């Protein structure tokens, strides 16, 4: 299983931007789709964005489509989430995750087998 470490969270004003990074180690990163999830206080962990193993396909939750962009760098075992036009409702702990199956392309929590520890994103109104 891959080990995943997120970074880049913080406090930002409404309308601002943040870029989250996730560094992977201990697995064959380039064979697996990657995803970002988020969990707000009192809510279930929810899918935000995913990217296929080669990076050719990206998919998003409706709530972030057009504002967030997921990307990956297989040479550096990293995945990123560029977040623009942030809103207070984007406040959550953001988690990076690796798909459970090689070459898979999931968006459910159960599709992902490795998780990072999370990074807090707070959007002030």
């Amino acid at each position: 299983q891959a080990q995943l470490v997120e970074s880049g969270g913080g406090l930002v004003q409404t309308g601002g931007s943040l870029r989250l990074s996730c560094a992977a180690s201990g697995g064959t990163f380039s064979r697996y789709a990657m995803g970002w999830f988020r969990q707000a206080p009192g809510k279930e962990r929810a899918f935000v964005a995913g990217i296929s193993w080669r990076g050719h396909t990206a998919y998003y939750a409706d709530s972030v489509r057009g504002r967030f962009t997921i990307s990956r760098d297989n040479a550096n075992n990293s995945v990123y989430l560029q977040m623009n036009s942030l809103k207070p409702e984007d406040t959550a702990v953001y988690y990076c995750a690796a798909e459970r199956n090689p070459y898979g392309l999931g968006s459910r929590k159960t599709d992902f087998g490795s998780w990072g520890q999370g990074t807090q994103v707070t959007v002030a109104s």
Side-chain angles (χ1 to χ4, degrees), residues 13-35:
Q13 297 295 315
T14 296
S17 298
L18 281 175
R19 187 188 194 217
L20 305 184
S21 298
C22 173
S25 62
T28 310
F29 176 80
S30 61
R31 294 184 186 176
Y32 294 84
M34 297 295 295

Side-chain angles (χ1 to χ4, degrees), residues 88-112:
E89 51 263 44
D90 295 318
T91 295
V93 177
Y94 283 70
Y95 297 90
C96 172
E99 239 274 2
R100 189 180 299 278
N101 298 310
Y103 312 119
L105 194 65
S107 61
R108 301 169 299 178
K109 287 183 293 185
T110 53
D111 292 326
F112 292 81

Side-chain angles (χ1 to χ4, degrees), residues 26-88:
T28 310
F29 176 80
S30 61
R31 294 184 186 176
Y32 294 84
M34 297 295 295
W36 286 95
F37 288 74
R38 67 186 181 187
Q39 188 166 16
K43 294 188 176 181
E44 295 286 324
R45 191 171 300 188
F47 174 78
V48 174
I51 189 165
S52 60
W53 60 283
R54 281 188 176 177
H56 291 176
T57 302
Y59 44 109
Y60 301 91
D62 290 343
S63 58
V64 307
R65 188 176 293 112
R67 300 187 297 122
F68 291 10
T69 302
I70 188 171
S71 61
R72 67 187 296 161
D73 180 350
N74 285 349
N76 289 299
N77 289 352
S78 295
V79 63
Y80 308 97
L81 186 68
Q82 177 67 42
M83 306 185 295
N84 298 329
S85 302
L86 282 161
K87 305 175 181 180

Side-chain angles (χ1 to χ4, degrees), residues 2-16:
Q3 288 77 53
L4 305 173
V5 179
E6 302 96 336
S7 61
L11 173 65
V12 65
Q13 297 295 315
T14 296

